[in-house]
Amino acid sequence: MNYKSLKEKLSPSVAKALEDLKAELVDIAFTRQKGEMTVTVFVYKKDGLDIDLLQEASEKLDPIFEAEKELKDKYYLEISSPGIDRPIKTDDDFRRNMDMKLDAKLKNNEKHIGILKKYDEESFTLDCDGKIIEIKRADVKKLTQAIEF
């Protein structure tokens, strides 16, 4: 089974179903462990996910996956948030994280923590306690939301 093509095929239907719930598709992952398939749908909603949304999403998405002939084996459907430690890579990731505090680890071992103020295809800008730093995306080793305790 080619998971990449299956993801590309299912993503528009899944995204549309989530839009009806005012949520957004982040990613679909297919994993197989001990012979059992798990389909994980990562969902974003600005106000966060709650149990009711997860239930509604599961009910809306299950028929989409059930109808897919390539998923002929038994599988488990999981609905999940992307997680705070998920790497920020795409324009959609940057959009979802505007005005959020990010932790940028660069290839030259520099580290910057600041509020995301703008981004484009080439770079992004962090406000690090009043100091504005522009970082090229190509220089990033890992970019995530900053975790504060």
Side-chain angles (χ1 to χ4, degrees), residues 99-137:
D99 297 317
M100 300 291 287
K101 188 177 267 191
L102 303 184
D103 183 353
K105 293 177 178 72
L106 307 184
K107 292 176 183 174
N108 67 2
N109 292 323
E110 285 182 28
K111 181 177 176 175
H112 301 283
I113 295 177
I115 306 296
L116 178 63
K117 289 300 177 184
K118 66 179 184 176
Y119 68 92
D120 61 32
E121 307 81 40
E122 306 272 324
S123 64
F124 60 94
T125 302
L126 295 180
D127 180 342
C128 302
D129 294 323
K131 183 178 178 186
I132 304 300
I133 299 174
E134 185 170 335
I135 301 170
K136 292 189 183 311
R137 286 192 190 190

PDB file of all heavy atoms in Angstrom, residues 99-137:
ATOM      1  N   ASP A  99       1.962  34.803  16.370  1.00  0.00           N
ATOM      2  CA  ASP A  99       1.848  35.407  17.696  1.00  0.00           C
ATOM      3  C   ASP A  99       1.992  34.396  18.837  1.00  0.00           C
ATOM      4  O   ASP A  99       1.608  34.678  19.973  1.00  0.00           O
ATOM      5  CB  ASP A  99       0.541  36.208  17.840  1.00  0.00           C
ATOM      6  CG  ASP A  99       0.490  37.373  16.865  1.00  0.00           C
ATOM      7  OD1 ASP A  99       1.520  38.055  16.704  1.00  0.00           O
ATOM      8  OD2 ASP A  99      -0.572  37.596  16.256  1.00  0.00           O
ATOM      9  N   MET A 100       2.558  33.244  18.531  1.00  0.00           N
ATOM     10  CA  MET A 100       2.843  32.237  19.554  1.00  0.00           C
ATOM     11  C   MET A 100       4.339  32.260  19.850  1.00  0.00           C
ATOM     12  O   MET A 100       5.151  32.629  19.000  1.00  0.00           O
ATOM     13  CB  MET A 100       2.452  30.833  19.065  1.00  0.00           C
ATOM     14  CG  MET A 100       0.978  30.676  18.718  1.00  0.00           C
ATOM     15  SD  MET A 100      -0.112  30.730  20.128  1.00  0.00           S
ATOM     16  CE  MET A 100       0.214  29.167  20.863  1.00  0.00           C
ATOM     17  N   LYS A 101       4.707  31.821  21.040  1.00  0.00           N
ATOM     18  CA  LYS A 101       6.118  31.746  21.411  1.00  0.00           C
ATOM     19  C   LYS A 101       6.715  30.460  20.839  1.00  0.00           C
ATOM     20  O   LYS A 101       6.199  29.368  21.086  1.00  0.00           O
ATOM     21  CB  LYS A 101       6.296  31.781  22.923  1.00  0.00           C
ATOM     22  CG  LYS A 101       7.761  31.903  23.349  1.00  0.00           C
ATOM     23  CD  LYS A 101       7.902  32.004  24.848  1.00  0.00           C
ATOM     24  CE  LYS A 101       7.921  33.467  25.224  1.00  0.00           C
ATOM     25  NZ  LYS A 101       8.309  33.655  26.636  1.00  0.00           N
ATOM     26  N   LEU A 102       7.795  30.630  20.049  1.00  0.00           N
ATOM     27  CA  LEU A 102       8.438  29.492  19.393  1.00  0.00           C
ATOM     28  C   LEU A 102       9.861  29.306  19.888  1.00  0.00           C
ATOM     29  O   LEU A 102      10.506  30.257  20.335  1.00  0.00           O
ATOM     30  CB  LEU A 102       8.449  29.696  17.875  1.00  0.00           C
ATOM     31  CG  LEU A 102       7.100  29.908  17.189  1.00  0.00           C
ATOM     32  CD1 LEU A 102       7.289  29.985  15.681  1.00  0.00           C
ATOM     33  CD2 LEU A 102       6.113  28.829  17.565  1.00  0.00           C
ATOM     34  N   ASP A 103      10.331  28.082  19.772  1.00  0.00           N
ATOM     35  CA  ASP A 103      11.689  27.698  20.141  1.00  0.00           C
ATOM     36  C   ASP A 103      12.395  27.284  18.846  1.00  0.00           C
ATOM     37  O   ASP A 103      12.039  26.276  18.244  1.00  0.00           O
ATOM     38  CB  ASP A 103      11.615  26.541  21.126  1.00  0.00           C
ATOM     39  CG  ASP A 103      12.964  26.091  21.657  1.00  0.00           C
ATOM     40  OD1 ASP A 103      14.005  26.582  21.169  1.00  0.00           O
ATOM     41  OD2 ASP A 103      12.974  25.235  22.564  1.00  0.00           O
ATOM     42  N   ALA A 104      13.378  28.097  18.423  1.00  0.00           N
ATOM     43  CA  ALA A 104      14.107  27.835  17.177  1.00  0.00           C
ATOM     44  C   ALA A 104      15.518  27.360  17.489  1.00  0.00           C
ATOM     45  O   ALA A 104      16.302  28.082  18.117  1.00  0.00           O
ATOM     46  CB  ALA A 104      14.156  29.103  16.326  1.00  0.00           C
ATOM     47  N   LYS A 105      15.814  26.142  17.052  1.00  0.00           N
ATOM     48  CA  LYS A 105      17.177  25.610  17.153  1.00  0.00           C
ATOM     49  C   LYS A 105      17.751  25.627  15.742  1.00  0.00           C
ATOM     50  O   LYS A 105      17.180  25.042  14.824  1.00  0.00           O
ATOM     51  CB  LYS A 105      17.150  24.201  17.728  1.00  0.00           C
ATOM     52  CG  LYS A 105      16.701  24.160  19.182  1.00  0.00           C
ATOM     53  CD  LYS A 105      16.606  22.743  19.701  1.00  0.00           C
ATOM     54  CE  LYS A 105      16.210  22.687  21.142  1.00  0.00           C
ATOM     55  NZ  LYS A 105      14.842  23.025  21.432  1.00  0.00           N
ATOM     56  N   LEU A 106      18.877  26.302  15.582  1.00  0.00           N
ATOM     57  CA  LEU A 106      19.466  26.481  14.261  1.00  0.00           C
ATOM     58  C   LEU A 106      20.590  25.487  14.011  1.00  0.00           C
ATOM     59  O   LEU A 106      21.155  24.911  14.944  1.00  0.00           O
ATOM     60  CB  LEU A 106      19.974  27.920  14.111  1.00  0.00           C
ATOM     61  CG  LEU A 106      18.954  29.025  14.414  1.00  0.00           C
ATOM     62  CD1 LEU A 106      19.561  30.389  14.119  1.00  0.00           C
ATOM     63  CD2 LEU A 106      17.667  28.826  13.648  1.00  0.00           C
ATOM     64  N   LYS A 107      20.912  25.298  12.748  1.00  0.00           N
ATOM     65  CA  LYS A 107      21.961  24.366  12.345  1.00  0.00           C
ATOM     66  C   LYS A 107      23.327  24.761  12.890  1.00  0.00           C
ATOM     67  O   LYS A 107      24.188  23.914  13.080  1.00  0.00           O
ATOM     68  CB  LYS A 107      21.999  24.252  10.816  1.00  0.00           C
ATOM     69  CG  LYS A 107      20.767  23.575  10.251  1.00  0.00           C
ATOM     70  CD  LYS A 107      20.777  23.554   8.747  1.00  0.00           C
ATOM     71  CE  LYS A 107      19.498  22.936   8.207  1.00  0.00           C
ATOM     72  NZ  LYS A 107      19.405  23.031   6.740  1.00  0.00           N
ATOM     73  N   ASN A 108      23.542  26.061  13.154  1.00  0.00           N
ATOM     74  CA  ASN A 108      24.820  26.519  13.711  1.00  0.00           C
ATOM     75  C   ASN A 108      24.821  26.450  15.244  1.00  0.00           C
ATOM     76  O   ASN A 108      25.688  27.037  15.896  1.00  0.00           O
ATOM     77  CB  ASN A 108      25.136  27.938  13.236  1.00  0.00           C
ATOM     78  CG  ASN A 108      24.171  28.969  13.792  1.00  0.00           C
ATOM     79  OD1 ASN A 108      23.273  28.652  14.570  1.00  0.00           O
ATOM     80  ND2 ASN A 108      24.343  30.213  13.383  1.00  0.00           N
ATOM     81  N   ASN A 109      23.849  25.755  15.819  1.00  0.00           N
ATOM     82  CA  ASN A 109      23.680  25.532  17.262  1.00  0.00           C
ATOM     83  C   ASN A 109      23.188  26.750  18.032  1.00  0.00           C
ATOM     84  O   ASN A 109      23.121  26.712  19.260  1.00  0.00           O
ATOM     85  CB  ASN A 109      24.952  24.968  17.906  1.00  0.00           C
ATOM     86  CG  ASN A 109      25.225  23.559  17.433  1.00  0.00           C
ATOM     87  OD1 ASN A 109      24.305  22.770  17.235  1.00  0.00           O
ATOM     88  ND2 ASN A 109      26.490  23.248  17.213  1.00  0.00           N
ATOM     89  N   GLU A 110      22.835  27.832  17.347  1.00  0.00           N
ATOM     90  CA  GLU A 110      22.191  28.954  18.028  1.00  0.00           C
ATOM     91  C   GLU A 110      20.775  28.531  18.411  1.00  0.00           C
ATOM     92  O   GLU A 110      20.176  27.667  17.774  1.00  0.00           O
ATOM     93  CB  GLU A 110      22.099  30.183  17.114  1.00  0.00           C
ATOM     94  CG  GLU A 110      23.386  30.916  16.910  1.00  0.00           C
ATOM     95  CD  GLU A 110      23.200  32.153  16.031  1.00  0.00           C
ATOM     96  OE1 GLU A 110      22.093  32.738  16.007  1.00  0.00           O
ATOM     97  OE2 GLU A 110      24.171  32.518  15.363  1.00  0.00           O
ATOM     98  N   LYS A 111      20.259  29.201  19.443  1.00  0.00           N
ATOM     99  CA  LYS A 111      18.895  28.932  19.881  1.00  0.00           C
ATOM    100  C   LYS A 111      18.220  30.274  20.147  1.00  0.00           C
ATOM    101  O   LYS A 111      18.815  31.154  20.764  1.00  0.00           O
ATOM    102  CB  LYS A 111      18.907  28.075  21.150  1.00  0.00           C
ATOM    103  CG  LYS A 111      17.534  27.719  21.655  1.00  0.00           C
ATOM    104  CD  LYS A 111      17.620  26.803  22.860  1.00  0.00           C
ATOM    105  CE  LYS A 111      16.228  26.562  23.389  1.00  0.00           C
ATOM    106  NZ  LYS A 111      16.187  25.608  24.472  1.00  0.00           N
ATOM    107  N   HIS A 112      16.990  30.424  19.651  1.00  0.00           N
ATOM    108  CA  HIS A 112      16.220  31.647  19.864  1.00  0.00           C
ATOM    109  C   HIS A 112      14.815  31.266  20.299  1.00  0.00           C
ATOM    110  O   HIS A 112      14.204  30.375  19.720  1.00  0.00           O
ATOM    111  CB  HIS A 112      16.139  32.483  18.586  1.00  0.00           C
ATOM    112  CG  HIS A 112      17.467  32.895  18.058  1.00  0.00           C
ATOM    113  ND1 HIS A 112      18.206  33.915  18.613  1.00  0.00           N
ATOM    114  CD2 HIS A 112      18.206  32.416  17.025  1.00  0.00           C
ATOM    115  CE1 HIS A 112      19.335  34.052  17.939  1.00  0.00           C
ATOM    116  NE2 HIS A 112      19.362  33.155  16.979  1.00  0.00           N
ATOM    117  N   ILE A 113      14.312  31.973  21.307  1.00  0.00           N
ATOM    118  CA  ILE A 113      12.937  31.799  21.748  1.00  0.00           C
ATOM    119  C   ILE A 113      12.263  33.157  21.629  1.00  0.00           C
ATOM    120  O   ILE A 113      12.773  34.152  22.152  1.00  0.00           O
ATOM    121  CB  ILE A 113      12.855  31.280  23.194  1.00  0.00           C
ATOM    122  CG1 ILE A 113      13.464  29.870  23.265  1.00  0.00           C
ATOM    123  CG2 ILE A 113      11.401  31.271  23.678  1.00  0.00           C
ATOM    124  CD1 ILE A 113      13.498  29.278  24.656  1.00  0.00           C
ATOM    125  N   GLY A 114      11.161  33.190  20.885  1.00  0.00           N
ATOM    126  CA  GLY A 114      10.473  34.458  20.710  1.00  0.00           C
ATOM    127  C   GLY A 114       9.107  34.282  20.086  1.00  0.00           C
ATOM    128  O   GLY A 114       8.713  33.179  19.696  1.00  0.00           O
ATOM    129  N   ILE A 115       8.402  35.388  19.975  1.00  0.00           N
ATOM    130  CA  ILE A 115       7.045  35.409  19.424  1.00  0.00           C
ATOM    131  C   ILE A 115       7.133  35.525  17.902  1.00  0.00           C
ATOM    132  O   ILE A 115       7.806  36.421  17.384  1.00  0.00           O
ATOM    133  CB  ILE A 115       6.240  36.604  19.984  1.00  0.00           C
ATOM    134  CG1 ILE A 115       6.254  36.611  21.520  1.00  0.00           C
ATOM    135  CG2 ILE A 115       4.811  36.603  19.428  1.00  0.00           C
ATOM    136  CD1 ILE A 115       5.589  35.436  22.163  1.00  0.00           C
ATOM    137  N   LEU A 116       6.441  34.632  17.196  1.00  0.00           N
ATOM    138  CA  LEU A 116       6.415  34.667  15.736  1.00  0.00           C
ATOM    139  C   LEU A 116       5.617  35.887  15.287  1.00  0.00           C
ATOM    140  O   LEU A 116       4.441  36.028  15.608  1.00  0.00           O
ATOM    141  CB  LEU A 116       5.786  33.389  15.171  1.00  0.00           C
ATOM    142  CG  LEU A 116       5.657  33.319  13.649  1.00  0.00           C
ATOM    143  CD1 LEU A 116       7.026  33.352  12.976  1.00  0.00           C
ATOM    144  CD2 LEU A 116       4.891  32.065  13.247  1.00  0.00           C
ATOM    145  N   LYS A 117       6.280  36.781  14.537  1.00  0.00           N
ATOM    146  CA  LYS A 117       5.648  38.023  14.097  1.00  0.00           C
ATOM    147  C   LYS A 117       5.324  38.028  12.610  1.00  0.00           C
ATOM    148  O   LYS A 117       4.358  38.655  12.199  1.00  0.00           O
ATOM    149  CB  LYS A 117       6.531  39.231  14.446  1.00  0.00           C
ATOM    150  CG  LYS A 117       6.561  39.501  15.928  1.00  0.00           C
ATOM    151  CD  LYS A 117       5.147  39.774  16.396  1.00  0.00           C
ATOM    152  CE  LYS A 117       5.011  39.994  17.859  1.00  0.00           C
ATOM    153  NZ  LYS A 117       3.620  40.162  18.263  1.00  0.00           N
ATOM    154  N   LYS A 118       6.136  37.383  11.790  1.00  0.00           N
ATOM    155  CA  LYS A 118       5.825  37.278  10.360  1.00  0.00           C
ATOM    156  C   LYS A 118       6.634  36.145   9.759  1.00  0.00           C
ATOM    157  O   LYS A 118       7.593  35.662  10.354  1.00  0.00           O
ATOM    158  CB  LYS A 118       6.061  38.600   9.632  1.00  0.00           C
ATOM    159  CG  LYS A 118       7.487  39.061   9.555  1.00  0.00           C
ATOM    160  CD  LYS A 118       7.577  40.378   8.785  1.00  0.00           C
ATOM    161  CE  LYS A 118       9.034  40.792   8.636  1.00  0.00           C
ATOM    162  NZ  LYS A 118       9.188  41.993   7.828  1.00  0.00           N
ATOM    163  N   TYR A 119       6.211  35.751   8.555  1.00  0.00           N
ATOM    164  CA  TYR A 119       6.908  34.682   7.842  1.00  0.00           C
ATOM    165  C   TYR A 119       6.638  34.833   6.357  1.00  0.00           C
ATOM    166  O   TYR A 119       5.674  35.454   5.927  1.00  0.00           O
ATOM    167  CB  TYR A 119       6.457  33.295   8.331  1.00  0.00           C
ATOM    168  CG  TYR A 119       5.029  32.975   7.978  1.00  0.00           C
ATOM    169  CD1 TYR A 119       4.722  32.299   6.802  1.00  0.00           C
ATOM    170  CD2 TYR A 119       3.982  33.363   8.802  1.00  0.00           C
ATOM    171  CE1 TYR A 119       3.406  32.022   6.465  1.00  0.00           C
ATOM    172  CE2 TYR A 119       2.667  33.092   8.469  1.00  0.00           C
ATOM    173  CZ  TYR A 119       2.391  32.427   7.306  1.00  0.00           C
ATOM    174  OH  TYR A 119       1.086  32.150   6.968  1.00  0.00           O
ATOM    175  N   ASP A 120       7.519  34.239   5.567  1.00  0.00           N
ATOM    176  CA  ASP A 120       7.306  34.091   4.128  1.00  0.00           C
ATOM    177  C   ASP A 120       7.962  32.784   3.706  1.00  0.00           C
ATOM    178  O   ASP A 120       8.364  31.991   4.569  1.00  0.00           O
ATOM    179  CB  ASP A 120       7.818  35.317   3.343  1.00  0.00           C
ATOM    180  CG  ASP A 120       9.310  35.564   3.513  1.00  0.00           C
ATOM    181  OD1 ASP A 120      10.083  34.597   3.690  1.00  0.00           O
ATOM    182  OD2 ASP A 120       9.716  36.744   3.456  1.00  0.00           O
ATOM    183  N   GLU A 121       8.094  32.564   2.407  1.00  0.00           N
ATOM    184  CA  GLU A 121       8.631  31.293   1.903  1.00  0.00           C
ATOM    185  C   GLU A 121      10.079  31.078   2.319  1.00  0.00           C
ATOM    186  O   GLU A 121      10.544  29.945   2.431  1.00  0.00           O
ATOM    187  CB  GLU A 121       8.563  31.223   0.373  1.00  0.00           C
ATOM    188  CG  GLU A 121       7.217  31.498  -0.241  1.00  0.00           C
ATOM    189  CD  GLU A 121       6.921  32.987  -0.365  1.00  0.00           C
ATOM    190  OE1 GLU A 121       7.832  33.774  -0.705  1.00  0.00           O
ATOM    191  OE2 GLU A 121       5.776  33.376  -0.109  1.00  0.00           O
ATOM    192  N   GLU A 122      10.817  32.153   2.541  1.00  0.00           N
ATOM    193  CA  GLU A 122      12.257  32.077   2.793  1.00  0.00           C
ATOM    194  C   GLU A 122      12.645  32.162   4.271  1.00  0.00           C
ATOM    195  O   GLU A 122      13.621  31.565   4.694  1.00  0.00           O
ATOM    196  CB  GLU A 122      12.956  33.238   2.062  1.00  0.00           C
ATOM    197  CG  GLU A 122      12.654  33.324   0.586  1.00  0.00           C
ATOM    198  CD  GLU A 122      13.596  32.507  -0.243  1.00  0.00           C
ATOM    199  OE1 GLU A 122      14.779  32.432   0.120  1.00  0.00           O
ATOM    200  OE2 GLU A 122      13.145  31.941  -1.250  1.00  0.00           O
ATOM    201  N   SER A 123      11.897  32.965   5.049  1.00  0.00           N
ATOM    202  CA  SER A 123      12.330  33.251   6.417  1.00  0.00           C
ATOM    203  C   SER A 123      11.136  33.540   7.322  1.00  0.00           C
ATOM    204  O   SER A 123      10.003  33.595   6.871  1.00  0.00           O
ATOM    205  CB  SER A 123      13.296  34.442   6.413  1.00  0.00           C
ATOM    206  OG  SER A 123      12.623  35.605   5.958  1.00  0.00           O
ATOM    207  N   PHE A 124      11.451  33.756   8.597  1.00  0.00           N
ATOM    208  CA  PHE A 124      10.435  34.157   9.569  1.00  0.00           C
ATOM    209  C   PHE A 124      11.088  35.083  10.590  1.00  0.00           C
ATOM    210  O   PHE A 124      12.312  35.120  10.725  1.00  0.00           O
ATOM    211  CB  PHE A 124       9.778  32.943  10.238  1.00  0.00           C
ATOM    212  CG  PHE A 124      10.726  32.049  10.988  1.00  0.00           C
ATOM    213  CD1 PHE A 124      10.926  32.215  12.356  1.00  0.00           C
ATOM    214  CD2 PHE A 124      11.405  31.042  10.338  1.00  0.00           C
ATOM    215  CE1 PHE A 124      11.796  31.385  13.048  1.00  0.00           C
ATOM    216  CE2 PHE A 124      12.271  30.207  11.021  1.00  0.00           C
ATOM    217  CZ  PHE A 124      12.475  30.373  12.384  1.00  0.00           C
ATOM    218  N   THR A 125      10.263  35.833  11.299  1.00  0.00           N
ATOM    219  CA  THR A 125      10.754  36.815  12.255  1.00  0.00           C
ATOM    220  C   THR A 125      10.212  36.510  13.642  1.00  0.00           C
ATOM    221  O   THR A 125       9.010  36.295  13.808  1.00  0.00           O
ATOM    222  CB  THR A 125      10.321  38.237  11.825  1.00  0.00           C
ATOM    223  OG1 THR A 125      10.822  38.490  10.510  1.00  0.00           O
ATOM    224  CG2 THR A 125      10.863  39.279  12.776  1.00  0.00           C
ATOM    225  N   LEU A 126      11.126  36.503  14.614  1.00  0.00           N
ATOM    226  CA  LEU A 126      10.759  36.310  16.016  1.00  0.00           C
ATOM    227  C   LEU A 126      11.042  37.593  16.794  1.00  0.00           C
ATOM    228  O   LEU A 126      12.068  38.247  16.563  1.00  0.00           O
ATOM    229  CB  LEU A 126      11.574  35.176  16.643  1.00  0.00           C
ATOM    230  CG  LEU A 126      11.382  33.767  16.109  1.00  0.00           C
ATOM    231  CD1 LEU A 126      12.288  32.792  16.859  1.00  0.00           C
ATOM    232  CD2 LEU A 126       9.942  33.321  16.197  1.00  0.00           C
ATOM    233  N   ASP A 127      10.158  37.917  17.708  1.00  0.00           N
ATOM    234  CA  ASP A 127      10.388  39.000  18.655  1.00  0.00           C
ATOM    235  C   ASP A 127      10.877  38.338  19.936  1.00  0.00           C
ATOM    236  O   ASP A 127      10.113  37.724  20.671  1.00  0.00           O
ATOM    237  CB  ASP A 127       9.088  39.775  18.901  1.00  0.00           C
ATOM    238  CG  ASP A 127       9.257  40.912  19.889  1.00  0.00           C
ATOM    239  OD1 ASP A 127      10.260  40.929  20.645  1.00  0.00           O
ATOM    240  OD2 ASP A 127       8.373  41.787  19.925  1.00  0.00           O
ATOM    241  N   CYS A 128      12.191  38.458  20.172  1.00  0.00           N
ATOM    242  CA  CYS A 128      12.828  37.840  21.338  1.00  0.00           C
ATOM    243  C   CYS A 128      13.017  38.903  22.415  1.00  0.00           C
ATOM    244  O   CYS A 128      14.057  39.590  22.450  1.00  0.00           O
ATOM    245  CB  CYS A 128      14.154  37.213  20.943  1.00  0.00           C
ATOM    246  SG  CYS A 128      14.024  35.975  19.641  1.00  0.00           S
ATOM    247  N   ASP A 129      12.006  39.088  23.238  1.00  0.00           N
ATOM    248  CA  ASP A 129      12.028  40.112  24.298  1.00  0.00           C
ATOM    249  C   ASP A 129      12.407  41.482  23.762  1.00  0.00           C
ATOM    250  O   ASP A 129      13.286  42.167  24.295  1.00  0.00           O
ATOM    251  CB  ASP A 129      12.971  39.699  25.430  1.00  0.00           C
ATOM    252  CG  ASP A 129      12.473  38.473  26.174  1.00  0.00           C
ATOM    253  OD1 ASP A 129      11.239  38.352  26.365  1.00  0.00           O
ATOM    254  OD2 ASP A 129      13.303  37.629  26.560  1.00  0.00           O
ATOM    255  N   GLY A 130      11.767  41.881  22.668  1.00  0.00           N
ATOM    256  CA  GLY A 130      11.997  43.206  22.096  1.00  0.00           C
ATOM    257  C   GLY A 130      13.070  43.246  21.019  1.00  0.00           C
ATOM    258  O   GLY A 130      13.174  44.221  20.282  1.00  0.00           O
ATOM    259  N   LYS A 131      13.880  42.213  20.912  1.00  0.00           N
ATOM    260  CA  LYS A 131      14.903  42.135  19.863  1.00  0.00           C
ATOM    261  C   LYS A 131      14.319  41.343  18.695  1.00  0.00           C
ATOM    262  O   LYS A 131      13.940  40.176  18.857  1.00  0.00           O
ATOM    263  CB  LYS A 131      16.168  41.466  20.397  1.00  0.00           C
ATOM    264  CG  LYS A 131      17.295  41.417  19.390  1.00  0.00           C
ATOM    265  CD  LYS A 131      18.523  40.780  19.993  1.00  0.00           C
ATOM    266  CE  LYS A 131      19.625  40.706  18.952  1.00  0.00           C
ATOM    267  NZ  LYS A 131      20.784  39.974  19.457  1.00  0.00           N
ATOM    268  N   ILE A 132      14.234  41.976  17.531  1.00  0.00           N
ATOM    269  CA  ILE A 132      13.643  41.336  16.354  1.00  0.00           C
ATOM    270  C   ILE A 132      14.736  40.564  15.616  1.00  0.00           C
ATOM    271  O   ILE A 132      15.767  41.129  15.254  1.00  0.00           O
ATOM    272  CB  ILE A 132      13.002  42.382  15.412  1.00  0.00           C
ATOM    273  CG1 ILE A 132      11.957  43.221  16.174  1.00  0.00           C
ATOM    274  CG2 ILE A 132      12.405  41.708  14.188  1.00  0.00           C
ATOM    275  CD1 ILE A 132      10.823  42.424  16.765  1.00  0.00           C
ATOM    276  N   ILE A 133      14.483  39.270  15.419  1.00  0.00           N
ATOM    277  CA  ILE A 133      15.455  38.405  14.752  1.00  0.00           C
ATOM    278  C   ILE A 133      14.798  37.763  13.543  1.00  0.00           C
ATOM    279  O   ILE A 133      13.745  37.133  13.661  1.00  0.00           O
ATOM    280  CB  ILE A 133      15.973  37.318  15.714  1.00  0.00           C
ATOM    281  CG1 ILE A 133      16.683  37.981  16.904  1.00  0.00           C
ATOM    282  CG2 ILE A 133      16.904  36.355  14.995  1.00  0.00           C
ATOM    283  CD1 ILE A 133      17.113  37.027  17.970  1.00  0.00           C
ATOM    284  N   GLU A 134      15.429  37.927  12.379  1.00  0.00           N
ATOM    285  CA  GLU A 134      14.954  37.266  11.164  1.00  0.00           C
ATOM    286  C   GLU A 134      15.800  36.021  10.943  1.00  0.00           C
ATOM    287  O   GLU A 134      17.028  36.077  10.991  1.00  0.00           O
ATOM    288  CB  GLU A 134      15.056  38.187   9.952  1.00  0.00           C
ATOM    289  CG  GLU A 134      14.449  37.542   8.716  1.00  0.00           C
ATOM    290  CD  GLU A 134      14.319  38.501   7.545  1.00  0.00           C
ATOM    291  OE1 GLU A 134      14.243  39.719   7.770  1.00  0.00           O
ATOM    292  OE2 GLU A 134      14.283  37.989   6.412  1.00  0.00           O
ATOM    293  N   ILE A 135      15.114  34.902  10.711  1.00  0.00           N
ATOM    294  CA  ILE A 135      15.781  33.611  10.563  1.00  0.00           C
ATOM    295  C   ILE A 135      15.379  32.996   9.234  1.00  0.00           C
ATOM    296  O   ILE A 135      14.189  32.930   8.910  1.00  0.00           O
ATOM    297  CB  ILE A 135      15.392  32.663  11.721  1.00  0.00           C
ATOM    298  CG1 ILE A 135      15.793  33.281  13.074  1.00  0.00           C
ATOM    299  CG2 ILE A 135      16.025  31.291  11.530  1.00  0.00           C
ATOM    300  CD1 ILE A 135      15.248  32.542  14.279  1.00  0.00           C
ATOM    301  N   LYS A 136      16.360  32.546   8.474  1.00  0.00           N
ATOM    302  CA  LYS A 136      16.079  31.848   7.219  1.00  0.00           C
ATOM    303  C   LYS A 136      15.587  30.440   7.543  1.00  0.00           C
ATOM    304  O   LYS A 136      16.168  29.751   8.378  1.00  0.00           O
ATOM    305  CB  LYS A 136      17.327  31.792   6.353  1.00  0.00           C
ATOM    306  CG  LYS A 136      17.775  33.136   5.822  1.00  0.00           C
ATOM    307  CD  LYS A 136      18.878  32.953   4.797  1.00  0.00           C
ATOM    308  CE  LYS A 136      19.422  34.255   4.289  1.00  0.00           C
ATOM    309  NZ  LYS A 136      18.456  35.230   3.861  1.00  0.00           N
ATOM    310  N   ARG A 137      14.536  30.024   6.872  1.00  0.00           N
ATOM    311  CA  ARG A 137      13.999  28.681   7.108  1.00  0.00           C
ATOM    312  C   ARG A 137      15.056  27.601   6.850  1.00  0.00           C
ATOM    313  O   ARG A 137      15.097  26.599   7.557  1.00  0.00           O
ATOM    314  CB  ARG A 137      12.787  28.423   6.206  1.00  0.00           C
ATOM    315  CG  ARG A 137      11.534  29.156   6.619  1.00  0.00           C
ATOM    316  CD  ARG A 137      10.363  28.591   5.846  1.00  0.00           C
ATOM    317  NE  ARG A 137       9.152  29.366   6.001  1.00  0.00           N
ATOM    318  CZ  ARG A 137       7.977  28.950   5.579  1.00  0.00           C
ATOM    319  NH1 ARG A 137       7.839  27.801   4.954  1.00  0.00           N
ATOM    320  NH2 ARG A 137       6.921  29.706   5.757  1.00  0.00           N
TER     321      ARG A 137
END
